[in-house]
Amino acid sequence: MTNEQIVKHLFSLQDKKFREFHLKLIPGIETDKVIGVRTPALRKFAKEIIKAGSGEEFLSSLPHYYYEENQLHSFILSEEKNFDNCIKYVDKFLPYINNWATCDQLLPKVFKKQPQKLLPHINLWIESGETYKIRFAIGMLMQHFLDEFFEERFVQKVASVHSEEYYVKMMQAWYFATALAKQYDCAVKFIEDKKLDSWTHNKTIQKAIESFRVPDERKEYLRTLKV
């Protein structure tokens, strides 16, 4: 399956009404680069590309033109079974990610099997100064290091990120709200000590209050910590 055939098939899946709706969710993307394909259709197509043996060729064809090609890239790469190959492809792809949706859809399953091997790469991404590398790094800490492999130093690492980028600050808030659900005793100290900027601090509390995983009595206390 060639890249030209892949793009042609994407246009065959186009939903113009969905396109107009989705454009509002991904500001900053040039409108002519969005085809308008729903996520379930993209996931299904990604599996077909892998089954056809065309996944590696597609992953090597950066940069892509269309937003949906980048979405496919995230879905295909998330299925890569070899850790070292996956890291190689992730490092090549991250500089081309230019929106939150593509960033957040990149969830390599193989990372769950070797989280400690992932840490050095997270450290590089989070210190890169690049919006979506940082967002991805925080997302990986949230996904893989808030349960069995949790350590307070990871919370400190996320708190130490200083950025004016909206999509970094939103991911920090998402991370801390999740930490308040999973590792409350540690995470709440960072809120009590106001280790985050005011906007991220308040957004974290908002998200925690909206979460079903945070008990009501903790929500009441968190409300008193708003700034």
Side-chain angles (χ1 to χ4, degrees), residues 41-51 72 75-76:
L42 286 171
R43 289 186 184 277
K44 181 181 178 182
F45 187 32
K47 291 179 181 179
E48 292 172 2
I49 293 171
I50 294 170
K51 187 175 181 180
L72 277 180
F75 293 138
I76 292 169

Side-chain angles (χ1 to χ4, degrees), residues 181-199:
K182 292 188 171 187
Q183 301 290 346
Y184 178 83
D185 290 340
C186 175
V188 75
K189 292 186 294 183
F190 287 79
I191 305 303
E192 291 170 333
D193 295 341
K194 298 179 174 58
K195 296 294 187 180
L196 305 173
D197 67 81
S198 296
W199 188 92

Side-chain angles (χ1 to χ4, degrees), residues 166 169-178 180 187-188 190-211 218-219 221-227:
Y166 174 80
K169 291 155 73 81
M170 279 296 293
M171 181 56 83
Q172 282 179 292
W174 185 7
Y175 173 90
F176 269 93
T178 306
L180 286 167
V188 75
F190 287 79
I191 305 303
E192 291 170 333
D193 295 341
K194 298 179 174 58
K195 296 294 187 180
L196 305 173
D197 67 81
S198 296
W199 188 92
T200 309
H201 176 100
N202 287 334
K203 182 60 70 171
T204 294
I205 293 173
Q206 176 191 329
K207 286 180 169 292
I209 289 171
E210 292 170 351
S211 173
R218 290 180 176 174
K219 291 180 181 180
Y221 176 60
L222 289 170
R223 287 188 176 95
T224 69
L225 299 178
K226 290 182 180 179
V227 296

Side-chain angles (χ1 to χ4, degrees), residues 85-102:
N85 284 344
C86 191
I87 282 290
K88 178 184 72 174
Y89 283 123
V90 166
D91 278 332
K92 288 182 178 179
F93 184 45
L94 286 176
Y96 295 103
I97 294 180
N98 61 358
N99 67 90
W100 66 267
T102 301

Side-chain angles (χ1 to χ4, degrees), residues 25-179:
L25 303 181
I26 47 172
I29 304 295
E30 297 173 51
T31 57
D32 68 326
K33 293 186 176 181
V34 179
I35 299 170
V37 182
R38 293 179 180 271
T39 297
L42 286 171
R43 289 186 184 277
K44 181 181 178 182
F45 187 32
K47 291 179 181 179
E48 292 172 2
I49 293 171
I50 294 170
K51 187 175 181 180
S54 303
E56 186 172 353
E57 180 182 352
F58 184 76
L59 293 178
S60 300
S61 64
L62 290 167
H64 303 301
Y65 183 81
Y66 291 105
Y67 161 77
E68 282 81 4
E69 289 181 277
N70 283 328
Q71 292 292 87
L72 277 180
H73 199 112
S74 283
F75 293 138
I76 292 169
L77 185 45
S78 294
E79 299 297 326
E80 172 59 50
K81 293 180 170 58
N82 180 282
F83 182 93
D84 292 333
N85 284 344
C86 191
I87 282 290
K88 178 184 72 174
Y89 283 123
V90 166
D91 278 332
K92 288 182 178 179
F93 184 45
L94 286 176
Y96 295 103
I97 294 180
N98 61 358
N99 67 90
W100 66 267
T102 301
C103 184
D104 294 358
Q105 298 285 15
L106 182 57
L107 298 168
K109 295 175 183 177
V110 71
F111 288 173
K112 186 176 182 179
K113 297 179 180 179
Q114 301 186 64
Q116 297 301 330
K117 197 173 178 180
L118 179 63
L119 274 175
H121 302 279
I122 289 176
N123 291 335
L124 291 174
W125 297 327
I126 208 167
E127 295 170 5
S128 68
E130 298 177 41
T131 298
Y132 292 104
K133 284 186 180 181
I134 299 171
R135 184 180 173 99
F136 181 69
I138 296 173
M140 291 297 97
L141 286 172
M142 181 173 68
Q143 184 178 10
H144 300 297
F145 295 93
L146 279 178
D147 296 296
E148 179 184 356
F149 301 103
F150 174 76
E151 295 180 39
E152 184 171 341
R153 65 188 175 106
F154 302 138
V155 187
Q156 179 62 55
K157 184 173 289 292
V158 176
S160 68
V161 172
H162 299 291
S163 173
E164 294 304 314
E165 292 288 342
Y166 174 80
Y167 290 107
V168 171
K169 291 155 73 81
M170 279 296 293
M171 181 56 83
Q172 282 179 292
W174 185 7
Y175 173 90
F176 269 93
T178 306

